[in-house]
Amino acid sequence: MEKHVIFLDSTSYEDWISEVDGNDLHAIALCFRLLRQQGYYVSCDAFRRFTDDQGDFKKELVNEVHEMLSLYEAAQFRVHGEEILDEALTFTITQLKLILPKLSNSQLAQQISNALKFSIKDGVVRVETRKCISFYQENHESSNQVLLNFAKLDFNIVQRLHKKELSDLTR
């Protein structure tokens, strides 16, 4: 399947990303990753605000595990020549591996372990969706039940459709 890359006008992206809290690395990384996953080329300059004067990622980011994980997943969608994302990938892999043993057997530890083993970029969409549903369901304090139920319903409908298509092929 051929994938088309769509270039967003940098000003429209900058306007859009400016609506996100400029200090919320998780939100910026998530927006960046989702746009890149859908074939949009967006600038990685939004990540520069999380670096120090030497161009290294700020050390205080290691205290924000969810943000580190989001940056790690976003960095996987880098293209050639995006040094800040190369640096982000190296930084987050190192830090997540150091953090992982300290998290014991938590849901977050499982999520990080899976992310380090299986690249989100190379994952099968439906399998990744199923993993996200499980992680989201276990995280009770922030789960939106309507969104969770919708995701489960969508997953089950698509799964039934695939089963039907397979059974039609074997007839």
Side-chain angles (χ1 to χ4, degrees):
M1 179 168 64
E2 186 177 325
K3 198 167 194 181
H4 298 282
V5 177
I6 300 166
F7 289 88
L8 281 180
D9 179 316
S10 62
T11 56
S12 64
Y13 171 68
E14 291 302 323
D15 291 344
W16 181 74
I17 202 73
S18 69
E19 306 232 352
V20 176
D21 178 5
N23 296 318
D24 188 348
L25 177 57
H26 170 70
I28 290 171
L30 180 61
C31 292
F32 176 88
R33 177 177 64 85
L34 292 173
L35 286 167
R36 285 275 177 105
Q37 274 182 303
Q38 295 304 312
Y40 291 94
Y41 177 82
V42 291
S43 172
C44 58
D45 288 341
F47 296 110
R48 296 202 188 286
R49 67 184 79 175
F50 302 102
T51 60
D52 59 23
D53 294 335
Q54 287 75 40
D56 297 324
F57 279 89
K58 295 177 181 174
K59 299 300 179 213
E60 59 265 19
L61 292 176
V62 300
N63 300 323
E64 303 298 332
V65 182
H66 288 286
E67 291 185 354
M68 294 281 294
L69 183 57
S70 294
L71 179 58
Y72 168 72
E73 291 176 340
Q76 292 178 38
F77 288 89
R78 71 199 184 286
V79 295
H80 181 71
E82 291 181 323
E83 283 116 21
I84 191 164
L85 292 179
D86 291 336
E87 181 66 34
L89 191 63
T90 303
F91 174 73
T92 55
I93 288 172
T94 301
Q95 296 306 320
L96 290 171
K97 284 182 177 179
L98 290 171
I99 292 167
L100 192 56
K102 299 173 188 170
L103 295 175
S104 66
N105 289 329
S106 70
Q107 175 259 340
L108 181 57
Q110 184 65 45
Q111 193 174 359
I112 291 170
S113 179
N114 282 340
L116 290 171
K117 284 181 196 169
F118 309 107
S119 166
I120 194 167
K121 185 175 182 181
D122 300 328
V124 177
V125 174
R126 297 315 287 180
V127 174
E128 294 301 319
T129 301
R130 181 66 183 100
K131 279 192 240 175
C132 287
I133 289 171
S134 295
F135 289 134
Y136 193 76
Q137 187 170 344
E138 291 175 20
N139 193 0
H140 297 293
E141 70 264 4
S142 69
S143 67
N144 177 326
Q145 290 303 311
V146 174
L147 181 61
L148 181 60
N149 288 336
F150 179 71
K152 287 179 184 178
L153 180 64
D154 175 66
F155 184 86
N156 290 332
I157 288 170
V158 172
Q159 187 176 33
R160 267 193 223 113
L161 177 64
H162 289 314
K163 284 180 181 178
K164 183 183 181 312
E165 289 172 348
L166 286 172
S167 68
D168 289 347
L169 285 174
T170 57
R171 287 186 195 171

